[in-house]
């Protein structure tokens, strides 16, 4: 225990006293009831409590120990002056006692020790100059150091008259912090979970519910300890092994076994034959990206078995994966979610920590970060400088759980798979640069000087020359050239290859982590789901005695209405998104709306560059706002449904969100790719929307504008996500630090929470929700849609995604380690419904690529023109794509004013139509129908070829490798044989024990029978005497 001594004659300056030390004093005082009572009687303010010093019962062993308390001059005085500065490391008194405090150590604790020993020896007045960072020395090097030496000399002189029993050293802040930083006050039991509540909460109902809830936790076997030092009170929870064993068996958690005879042969044969030489070669070539094996050692493979207390002797309790932190936290969280907080009303509506937090009875419930593991991960993983290094997936799984580890494994695998397609896309883009001058279309446009094009709007627009689009036509060739189809084919093959190899790769990870065979069917019902059932009148007959027995919930009578309502609101928001996109399209049509701001709408710079860019920025803003509103609404809609397990809840939320995001992010791109410029009409009869002419594509096509829109939305979305995910939490934390550092709340100190251990530090972090990975998954899957659906318009899109993801991996890691509380570990065997979504996107991408190539590029018109005219060099192709129009046939004559084109009688426009002098003016010629037939035929042929190739790839790449599948079968066989042998030996041992007990009982029976015979032969008197 701790004893307290009040130092009335020496007061530390309040400004130089760290609040953490003050809390340390307050916490230590609570450890001893007598000391706490004495301290409370004398302490009138926070500054007075800071002058209370506490001592441990550590005795001085000999004179050498006393000599270690001597303080030097000069450097020692500097150390003492720096002792209370922020960030200064405080050494323990035991370090000084053992001789570790001399020289480079911290002298402050020795000064305190000297002062306290002096006080114990009867000295009430300390010499001048003694203190902790309080007085400065003179030029001659004297000052506090001399006073400290005087204290040491007097301590040594007085120590002969005081017994060692009365000499006690102080428990320093560093020693106390090391003991209780992440443990109970006994310094032995670890803190596995923390509950926090407002200590000023005087509501009797809240206190009563907390008492019942905590009593139920203790009844389950959990160990609790209260911390009531500050305004926020904490309840530390520890789960002993008995509780972990019981619930691990209930939850069917797999843990590693001790080495089984024969398993090494299975592991060696499962490894590839070329593993040794190939691994050695790869490690030498890519040594810079390998993990530090000293910090993250490679783990030996083990066989896992569902935990059972019956086979406790078989498990490897020393293995890192045997009840790691994530497993412990998941078990405690499972218990917390299923404890009642009302007596006599134990219903599904009155249980669970989430309900208590929601009602404000507890402020939060969270697990703790581990400082050592966290620092190691921050240094070697969550660092931008480690962008090229591999990820320590095993350690991530131990720290965060399998669900989070699978996300980072998937993101890292996806990023690595982007490398080959990014290189290929870069080569395709460079091909456009190299062959820039060989494009006949852009060359003809730039060299043309006599082609007059029809006005692009009614009345206000003037005629314009074709060569004004020279620059845009050259840029259009960079993405619309002979390599376009090849890149589209490569993207289709890459997307399927990536998905198939991910399944293969994840199967190995999941088996290594002992999660093979885990499905959501073993999950227990959500407490929120049970609460909804208990409140349902229709299901009242299926509950017994107020206890919900997880009844079957019929779909049509109960589930249908919530699901229908939820998805109807989703459709409504999709319609709102489409309306918003339509408004932007109308803005693009009404070019005069931005005339005064952006300059002349007749200029090609406005038409080709400025207008699409401004429309793209507006589109991004609208998309982000709708995303923010709907994301919060989707959670409420999903809570309204009957989702039995957490997996069902996550999948329902994911599907609703992604369907909306699909329309929200891709609708404008689909418009440009498939609708813009396709139904414009011709100058004599334009098709109009709300009185506005539809937009036309440039003579080179709409692919350039699709490229610009893709870059703006894709890059802008990633920038917005980076700001939301990283900048906002960073600013919030910085503001809190500035408030704490400058003392802006000094008048409200009772409202300040001083972080002095792990659970007070983590309390100020942002909460980690169960679906916290949803945003990260959504961001990456939307990006996957961008590069598979529309990267045909911009071959550098995979490269942009690669550069973003390299940083995204580290930013997500930093966010989870620095800004978020540690999430509860959850089991998972795959990435869930996200894989199915990407599979559907891959199938849609095939049709999208086919339609973009057919209708938005010049591939099919070039082929038809070359086949019909015999012009293989395409020298007349530009004239072939332009139709003639007689200016007298305008529906609305342009107001030319002083234009130089007043006397023009003929203009050209991009369309396949007959000339005005034809027998059927402005009608579709036969060549148009040939081109349309060729486009439709290309779509059918392209899709069938790609689908066939993708089907072959899916068949050729199994979900689980043959080696792993064979290993799983052999491990299962070996495991069964091992259990059978264990049961056999156990049965033999029991049989031997029974035989021994029986053999021991038989001699006793024979002795008893012989005594009885002797008594019978000796006569009645002797027998009577013997009997007595």
């Amino acid at each position: 225990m701790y004893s307290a001594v009040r130092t009335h004659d020496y007061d530390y300056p309040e400004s130089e006293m760290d609040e953490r030390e003050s809390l340390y004093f307050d916490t230590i005082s609570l450890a001893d009831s007598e000391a706490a009572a004495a301290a409370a009687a004398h302490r009138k303010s926070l500054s007075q409590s800071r002058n209370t010093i506490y001592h441990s019962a550590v005795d001085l062993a000999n004179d050498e120990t006393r000599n270690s308390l001597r303080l030097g001059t000069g450097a020692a005085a500097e150390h003492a002056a720096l002792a209370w500065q922020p960030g200064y490391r405080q050494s323990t008194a035991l370090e000084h006692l053992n001789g570790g405090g001399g020289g480079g150590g911290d002298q402050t604790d020795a000064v305190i020790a000297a002062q306290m020993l002096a006080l114990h020896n009867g000295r009430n007045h300390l010499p001048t100059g003694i203190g902790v960072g309080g007085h400065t020395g003179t030029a001659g090097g004297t000052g506090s150091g001399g006073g400290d030496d005087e204290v040491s000399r007097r301590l040594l002189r007085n120590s002969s008259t005081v017994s060692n029993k009365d000499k006690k050293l102080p428990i320093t802040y560093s020693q106390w912090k090391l003991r209780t930083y992440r443990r109970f006050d006994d310094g032995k039991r670890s803190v596995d979970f923390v509950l926090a509540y407002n200590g000023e909460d005087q509501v009797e109902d809240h206190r009563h519910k907390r008492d019942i809830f905590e009593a139920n936790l203790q009844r389950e076997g959990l160990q609790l300890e209260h911390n009531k030092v500050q305004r926020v009170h904490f309840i530390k929870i520890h789960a002993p092994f008995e509780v972990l064993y019981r619930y691990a068996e209930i939850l069917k958690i797999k843990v590693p076994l001790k080495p089984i005879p024969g398993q090494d042969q299975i592991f060696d044969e499962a490894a590839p034959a070329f593993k040794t030489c190939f691994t050695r070669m790869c490690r030498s070539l890519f040594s810079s990206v390998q993990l530090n094996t000293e910090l993250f050692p490679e783990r030996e493979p083990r066989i896992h078995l569902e935990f059972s207390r019956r086979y406790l002797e078989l498990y490897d309790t020393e293995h890192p994966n045997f009840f790691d932190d994530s497993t412990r936290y998941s078990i405690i969280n499972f218990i917390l979610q299923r404890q009642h907080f009302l007596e006599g009303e134990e219903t599904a509506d009155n249980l669970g920590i989430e309900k208590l937090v929601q009602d404000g009875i507890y402020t939060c419930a969270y697990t703790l970060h581990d400082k050592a593991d966290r620092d190691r991960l921050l240094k070697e993983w969550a660092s931008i400088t480690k962008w090229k290094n591999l990820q320590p997936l095993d350690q991530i799984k131990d720290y965060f759980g399998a669900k989070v580890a699978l996300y980072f494994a998937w993101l890292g695998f996806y990023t690595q798979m982007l490398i080959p397609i990014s290189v290929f896309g870069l080569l395709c883009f460079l091909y456009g640069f190299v062959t820039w001058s060989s494009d006949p279309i852009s060359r003809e446009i730039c060299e043309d000087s006599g082609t007059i094009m029809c006005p692009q709007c009614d009345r206000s627009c003037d005629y314009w020359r074709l060569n004004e689009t020279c620059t845009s036509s050259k840029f259009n060739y960079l993405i619309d050239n002979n390599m376009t189809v090849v890149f589209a084919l490569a993207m289709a093959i890459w997307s399927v290859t990536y998905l198939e190899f991910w399944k293969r790769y994840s199967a190995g990870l999941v088996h290594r982590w002992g999660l093979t065979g885990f499905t959501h069917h073993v999950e227990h019902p959500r407490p929120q789901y049970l609460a909804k059932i208990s409140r349902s009148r229709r299901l009242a007959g299926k509950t017994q005695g107020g206890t919900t027995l997880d009844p079957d919930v019929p779909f049509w009578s109960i589930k249908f209405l919530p699901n229908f309502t939820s998805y109807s609101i989703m459709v409504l928001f999709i319609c709102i998104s489409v309306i918003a996109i339509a408004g932007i399209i109308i803005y693009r049509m009404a070019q005069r709306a931005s005339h005064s701001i952006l300059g002349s709408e007749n200029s090609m710079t406005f038409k080709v560059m400025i207008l699409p860019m401004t429309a793209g920025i507006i589109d991004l803003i609208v998309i982000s706002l709708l995303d923010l509103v709907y994301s919060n609404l989707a959670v409420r809609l999903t809570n309204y449904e009957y989702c039995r397990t957490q997996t069902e809840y996550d999948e329902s939320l994911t599907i609703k969100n992604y369907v909306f995001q699909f329309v929200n992010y891709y609708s404008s791109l689909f418009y440009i790719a498939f609708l813009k410029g396709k139904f414009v009409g011709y100058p004599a009869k334009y098709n109009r929307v709300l009185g506005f002419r539809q937009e036309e594509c440039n003579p080179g096509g709409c692919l350039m504008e699709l490229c610009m829109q893709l870059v703006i939305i894709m890059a802008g979305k990633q920038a917005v996500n980076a700001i939301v995910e990283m900048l906002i939490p960073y600013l919030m934390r910085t503001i809190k630090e500035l408030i704490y550092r400058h003392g802006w709340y000094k008048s409200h100190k009772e409202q300040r929470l001083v972080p002095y251990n792990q659970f007070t530090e983590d309390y100020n972090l942002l909460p980690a929700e169960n679906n916290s990975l949803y945003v990260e998954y959504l961001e990456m899957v939307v990006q996957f849609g961008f590069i598979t659906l529309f990267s045909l318009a911009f071959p550098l899109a995979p490269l942009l995604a690669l550069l973003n993801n390299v940083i995204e991996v580290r930013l997500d890691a930093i966010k989870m380690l620095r800004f978020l509380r540690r999430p509860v570990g959850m089991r998972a065997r795959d990435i869930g419904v996200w894989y199915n979504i990407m599979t559907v996107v891959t199938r849609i991408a095939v049709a999208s690529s086919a339609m973009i190539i057919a209708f938005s590029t010049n591939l099919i018109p070039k082929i038809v023109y070359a086949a019909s005219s015999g012009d293989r060099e395409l020298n007349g192709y530009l004239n072939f794509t332009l139709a003639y129009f007689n200016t007298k046939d305008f529906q609305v004559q342009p107001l030319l004013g002083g234009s130089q084109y007043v006397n023009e009688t003929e203009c050209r426009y991009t369309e396949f139509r007959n000339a005005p002098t034809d027998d059927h003016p402005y009608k579709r010629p036969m060549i148009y129908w040939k081109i349309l037939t060729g486009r439709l035929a290309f779509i059918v042929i392209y899709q069938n070829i790609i689908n066939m190739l993708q089907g072959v790839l899916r068949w050729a790449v199994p979900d689980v490798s043959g080696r792993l599948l064979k290993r799983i079968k052999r491990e299962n066989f070996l495991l069964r044989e091992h259990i059978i042998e264990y049961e056999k030996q156990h049965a033999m041992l029991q049989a031997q024990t029974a035989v021994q007990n029986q053999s021991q009982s038989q001699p006793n029976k024979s002795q008893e029978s012989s005594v009885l015979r002797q008594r019978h032969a000796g006569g009645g008197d002797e027998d009577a005497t013997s009997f007595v």
Side-chain angles (χ1 to χ4, degrees):
M1 300 301 293
Y2 305 95
S3 58
V5 173
R6 176 74 178 171
T7 60
H8 298 280
D9 301 298
Y10 182 81
D11 293 338
Y12 293 102
E14 181 177 353
S15 60
E16 297 180 3
M17 194 67 167
D18 196 326
E19 290 190 2
R20 293 179 176 84
E21 277 75 0
S22 172
L23 288 169
Y24 143 63
F25 296 144
D26 295 338
T27 304
I28 295 300
S29 67
L30 294 176
D32 191 336
S33 58
E34 296 180 359
H42 293 286
R43 184 168 50 198
K44 297 181 180 180
S45 64
L46 181 61
S47 61
Q48 290 178 345
S49 69
R50 290 177 177 177
N51 299 322
T52 306
I53 307 296
Y54 301 90
H55 305 275
S56 69
V58 180
D59 296 331
L60 288 175
N62 46 42
D63 291 341
E64 294 180 359
T65 304
R66 302 188 194 98
N67 292 333
S68 66
L69 295 174
R70 291 182 178 274
L71 301 176
T73 59
E78 294 179 2
H79 282 294
L82 292 173
W84 297 104
Q85 299 298 324
Y88 187 80
R89 179 187 178 276
Q90 306 247 353
S91 59
T92 66
L94 296 180
E95 292 176 358
H96 293 286
L97 286 177
N98 295 328
D106 175 23
Q107 307 296 326
T108 304
D109 294 334
V111 174
I112 298 176
Q115 294 169 0
M116 301 329 306
L117 287 173
L119 291 170
H120 267 286
N121 292 337
R123 299 181 63 253
N124 295 326
H125 299 281
L126 302 181
T128 304
I130 299 178
V132 182
H135 309 282
T136 57
T138 61
T142 62
S144 63
D148 295 339
D149 288 340
E150 176 64 20
V151 171
S152 299
R153 285 192 293 269
R154 294 193 181 190
L155 285 175
L156 294 175
R157 183 174 61 253
N158 296 336
S159 62
S160 59
T161 60
V162 181
S163 63
N164 290 340
K165 180 179 179 181
D166 297 328
K167 300 172 185 176
K168 301 179 180 180
L169 289 178
I171 288 290
T172 62
Y173 168 67
S174 55
Q175 183 180 1
W176 168 76
K177 181 178 179 180
L178 180 64
R179 177 182 298 179
T180 63
Y181 188 73
R182 200 173 176 271
R183 295 184 177 275
F184 278 33
D185 289 343
D186 58 12
K188 298 178 180 179
R189 293 171 293 172
S190 62
V191 179
D192 298 326
F193 224 96
V194 172
L195 306 179
Y197 64 95
N198 186 2
E200 300 173 355
D201 184 5
Q202 302 297 329
V203 180
E204 182 63 23
D205 182 60
H206 290 183
R207 186 191 62 79
H208 181 63
K209 289 181 179 179
R210 282 196 295 265
D211 292 342
I212 296 175
F213 185 74
E214 293 165 15
N216 289 334
L217 294 180
Q218 291 177 327
R219 192 175 296 112
E220 289 290 336
L222 297 178
Q223 300 174 1
L224 277 59
E225 184 176 80
H226 289 260
N227 179 286
K228 300 180 179 181
V229 176
Q230 304 191 68
R231 175 182 59 88
V232 179
H233 293 180
F234 298 93
I235 302 172
K236 297 177 282 186
I237 301 176
H238 172 75
F241 276 102
E242 293 77 9
V243 177
L244 298 178
Y245 290 162
R246 184 169 71 252
Y247 277 93
E249 190 169 358
I250 294 173
L251 297 176
K252 301 183 183 301
I253 296 175
K254 288 188 175 182
V255 293
L257 295 171
K258 294 178 180 178
I260 302 176
Q263 70 174 22
D264 293 338
Q265 181 181 359
I266 297 177
F267 298 152
D268 294 339
E269 294 179 359
F274 56 90
K275 179 179 180 180
T276 304
C277 59
F278 182 75
T279 303
R280 188 182 300 112
M281 182 179 65
C282 289
R283 286 187 178 276
S284 60
L285 291 176
F286 303 101
S287 58
S288 60
V289 305
Q290 299 295 326
L291 291 173
N292 187 343
T293 55
E294 295 181 359
L295 297 176
F296 305 107
E298 185 176 355
R299 294 179 180 173
E300 298 180 357
R302 289 294 176 88
I303 297 178
H304 292 76
L305 175 66
E306 288 184 1
F307 184 82
S308 175
R309 284 171 288 183
R310 178 184 179 87
Y311 306 121
L312 186 59
E313 299 177 1
L314 300 180
Y315 301 109
D316 187 1
T317 57
E318 302 298 328
H319 195 274
N321 281 359
F322 185 82
F323 290 143
D324 53 24
D325 289 345
S326 63
T327 303
R328 297 173 64 95
Y329 300 157
S330 64
I331 291 176
I332 299 175
N333 183 68
F334 181 82
I335 299 174
L336 292 175
Q337 294 288 354
R338 286 157 176 81
Q339 297 305 312
H340 294 277
F341 49 83
L342 287 178
E343 290 182 348
E345 301 180 17
E346 289 83 0
T347 64
D349 198 27
N350 297 321
L351 84 164
I353 186 62
E354 289 189 9
K355 178 66 175 176
L356 292 172
V357 173
Q358 182 181 354
D359 294 343
I361 299 173
Y362 289 102
T363 57
C364 58
Y366 55 95
T367 61
L368 299 182
H369 285 284
D370 183 89
K371 183 174 178 59
D373 294 339
R374 184 190 197 182
D375 292 344
R376 182 167 66 251
L377 290 173
L378 280 171
K379 181 179 179 181
E380 300 295 331
W381 173 51
S383 173
I384 302 297
T385 58
K386 303 293 183 180
W387 62 270
K388 65 179 185 301
N389 288 44
L390 298 177
Q391 300 185 84
L393 296 178
D394 291 336
Q395 285 72 23
I396 297 173
K397 182 262 176 185
D398 295 343
Y399 196 84
F400 290 115
K403 189 172 184 179
V404 176
L406 275 175
Y407 163 73
F408 282 104
W410 168 76
L411 183 55
F413 183 84
Y414 169 50
T415 303
Q416 293 174 1
M417 288 294 293
L418 282 172
I419 296 176
I421 196 64
S422 299
V423 173
F424 188 75
L426 180 61
L427 294 177
C428 293
F429 196 76
L430 293 177
Y431 171 84
F433 270 111
V434 173
T435 59
W436 193 330
S437 60
S438 63
D439 178 37
I441 300 177
S442 59
R443 185 174 62 248
E444 285 189 56
I445 291 175
C446 295
E447 294 176 356
D448 182 87
S449 59
T451 302
I452 305 299
M453 303 297 293
C454 296
Q456 291 189 326
C457 67
D458 298 331
R459 293 188 179 279
S460 301
C461 294
D462 198 357
Y463 297 95
W464 55 283
R465 294 187 179 276
L466 180 62
N467 58 9
E468 294 180 17
T469 61
C470 174
T471 303
S472 63
S473 64
K474 288 183 177 180
F475 280 108
N476 190 79
Y477 175 74
L478 294 177
I479 55 180
D480 185 8
N481 49 56
N482 296 332
M483 293 297 293
T484 302
V485 179
V486 179
F487 182 73
L489 179 65
M491 277 299 305
I493 300 301
W494 171 85
S495 60
V496 175
T497 303
Y498 147 68
L499 291 176
E500 293 302 315
F501 275 95
W502 160 248
K503 287 195 298 185
R504 188 182 180 95
Y505 173 70
S506 63
L509 279 179
V510 168
H511 184 69
R512 190 169 77 202
W513 295 339
L515 293 171
T516 301
F518 172 78
T519 63
H520 68 276
H521 298 292
V522 303
E523 291 187 67
H524 289 254
R526 298 167 55 243
Q528 298 85 347
Y529 167 80
L530 298 177
K532 287 178 67 69
I533 291 178
S534 66
R535 293 192 299 266
S536 177
R537 295 181 180 179
R538 297 181 181 180
L539 297 174
K542 297 185 179 182
T543 58
Q544 300 177 2
T547 303
T548 303
L549 299 177
D550 190 16
D552 179 46
V553 181
F555 175 79
W556 291 106
S557 60
I558 295 181
K559 289 185 177 181
F560 173 75
L561 183 59
N563 291 355
F564 179 78
T565 304
S566 179
Y567 284 95
S568 297
I569 296 176
M570 179 195 72
V571 174
L572 174 62
F573 266 80
I574 289 176
C575 295
I576 294 175
S577 177
V578 172
I579 292 173
I581 300 301
I584 296 175
I585 294 173
I586 294 175
Y587 156 78
R588 297 158 66 105
M589 296 178 182
Q591 299 180 12
R592 293 184 62 84
S594 56
H595 173 77
S596 60
I597 299 175
L598 301 174
S600 175
E601 61 187 9
N602 288 325
S603 66
M604 283 299 104
T605 302
F606 173 79
K607 296 174 182 177
V608 178
M609 301 294 293
I610 298 180
L611 182 62
M613 289 178 62
T614 55
I617 295 174
I618 295 174
D619 190 17
L620 176 63
I621 295 174
V622 173
I623 286 173
S624 300
L625 292 177
L626 290 175
D627 184 10
L628 179 63
V629 174
Y630 183 78
S631 296
N632 295 326
L633 180 62
V635 176
R636 296 179 178 270
L637 294 176
T638 309
N639 292 337
Y640 183 55
E641 299 174 4
Y642 286 85
C643 298
R644 181 178 179 273
T645 64
Q646 187 65 39
T647 300
E648 293 179 4
Y649 180 89
D650 294 341
E651 290 182 355
S652 178
L653 177 64
T654 299
I655 292 174
K656 284 195 293 291
N657 271 287
Y658 185 78
V659 171
F660 172 77
Q661 302 296 353
F662 186 91
V663 177
N664 194 31
Y665 280 102
Y666 302 147
S667 54
S668 61
L669 299 174
F670 278 120
Y671 162 74
I672 297 174
F674 304 134
L675 297 178
K676 183 180 178 182
K678 305 302 186 295
F679 309 101
V680 177
Y682 57 99
K685 188 181 179 181
Y686 282 117
N687 298 321
R688 301 177 184 273
V689 177
L690 299 178
F692 298 106
R693 283 171 47 180
Q694 294 189 30
E695 294 182 281
E696 302 178 34
C697 293
N698 296 323
C702 286
L703 211 59
M704 182 65 189
E705 186 174 346
L706 178 62
C707 172
M708 295 172 58
Q709 191 86 349
L710 174 64
V711 173
I712 291 174
I713 296 179
M714 181 177 174
K717 178 183 179 300
Q718 294 173 351
V720 170
N721 289 335
I723 293 174
V724 172
E725 294 180 10
M726 296 300 300
L727 184 59
I728 293 178
Y730 174 77
L731 291 177
M732 292 176 62
R733 191 185 70 171
T734 303
I735 292 173
K736 287 183 179 180
E737 290 178 354
L738 290 176
I739 291 174
Y740 174 74
R741 182 180 303 171
H742 296 285
W744 293 342
Y745 292 155
K746 279 188 176 180
S747 60
H748 303 284
K749 287 184 178 180
E750 69 277 5
Q751 298 182 4
R752 185 190 304 174
L753 179 66
V754 180
Y756 66 98
N757 53 25
Q758 191 65 65
F759 53 85
T760 52
E761 291 176 2
D762 291 357
Y763 180 83
N764 293 322
L765 299 179
L766 298 177
E769 305 294 340
N770 290 335
N771 57 344
S772 59
L773 292 177
Y774 160 75
V775 177
E776 285 74 15
Y777 270 117
L778 178 63
E779 179 184 355
M780 292 296 103
V781 174
V782 169
Q783 181 199 89
F784 176 77
F786 279 130
I787 66 175
T788 53
L789 294 170
F790 306 106
S791 64
L792 181 64
F794 187 51
L796 295 183
L799 181 60
L800 293 181
L802 173 64
L803 297 177
N804 173 81
N805 292 0
V806 168
I807 306 300
E808 182 72 20
V809 175
R810 310 300 165 175
L811 291 183
D812 286 345
I814 293 173
K815 180 183 70 174
M816 297 196 70
L817 287 171
R818 288 189 180 277
F819 303 133
L820 296 182
R821 294 172 187 156
R822 189 172 181 176
V824 177
M826 299 180 65
R827 291 178 291 173
R829 60 170 300 179
D830 51 35
I831 59 176
V833 73
W834 295 108
Y835 179 86
N836 299 329
I837 290 175
M838 288 188 289
T839 302
V840 173
V841 170
T842 300
R843 296 182 183 276
I844 297 175
V846 176
S848 173
S849 299
M851 296 179 67
I852 291 176
I853 294 173
F855 290 100
S856 297
T857 68
N858 294 311
L859 175 66
I860 304 303
K862 285 179 181 179
I863 294 175
V864 174
Y865 169 76
S868 59
S869 65
D871 182 10
R872 304 296 179 183
E873 301 297 329
L874 303 178
N875 293 322
Y877 174 76
L878 180 62
N879 184 67
F880 169 74
T881 59
L882 299 177
Y884 290 90
F885 182 75
N886 193 331
T887 58
K888 296 180 180 180
D889 298 331
F890 273 119
Q891 286 181 328
V892 180
Q893 290 293 332
L895 301 177
L896 300 179
S899 173
Q900 59 178 332
Y901 303 110
V902 174
N903 298 323
E904 289 293 333
T905 60
E906 191 177 63
C907 63
R908 307 292 296 273
Y909 62 99
T910 305
E911 192 56 278
F912 293 101
R913 289 187 180 271
N914 292 330
T917 58
D918 193 85
D919 295 338
H920 302 282
Y922 308 125
K923 297 298 181 180
R924 296 290 189 185
M926 183 57 64
I927 194 67
Y928 168 81
W929 301 108
K930 292 181 179 179
I931 293 175
L932 180 60
T933 303
R935 285 170 169 169
L936 296 177
F938 174 81
I939 293 175
V940 174
I941 296 173
Y942 179 86
Q943 288 195 79
N944 281 278
I945 292 176
I946 296 300
N947 289 334
M948 182 186 67
L949 293 176
Q950 289 181 347
V952 171
L953 279 174
R954 292 190 181 97
W955 171 81
V957 182
D959 296 348
V960 182
S961 66
R963 291 182 180 274
L964 179 59
L965 190 61
K966 184 179 179 180
R967 171 182 167 180
I968 293 174
K969 293 180 179 178
R970 297 184 63 185
E971 286 180 357
N972 291 336
F973 174 78
L974 183 62
L975 182 59
R976 288 194 300 268
E977 294 296 323
H978 185 61
I979 293 177
I980 292 173
E981 184 65 25
Y982 174 80
E983 293 284 1
K984 185 187 301 182
Q985 293 180 359
H986 185 66
M988 292 176 61
L989 182 61
Q990 288 182 338
Q992 291 177 359
T993 304
V995 170
Q996 291 177 358
N997 294 336
Q998 185 177 5
S999 62
Q1000 291 177 359
S1001 62
Q1002 286 179 354
N1004 295 333
K1005 291 182 180 180
S1006 61
Q1007 290 179 0
E1008 292 177 358
S1009 60
S1010 62
V1011 170
L1012 290 176
R1013 287 195 299 268
Q1014 291 176 0
R1015 290 173 180 173
H1016 182 70
D1021 295 338
E1022 184 178 358
D1023 183 55
T1025 304
S1026 301
F1027 177 79
V1028 175

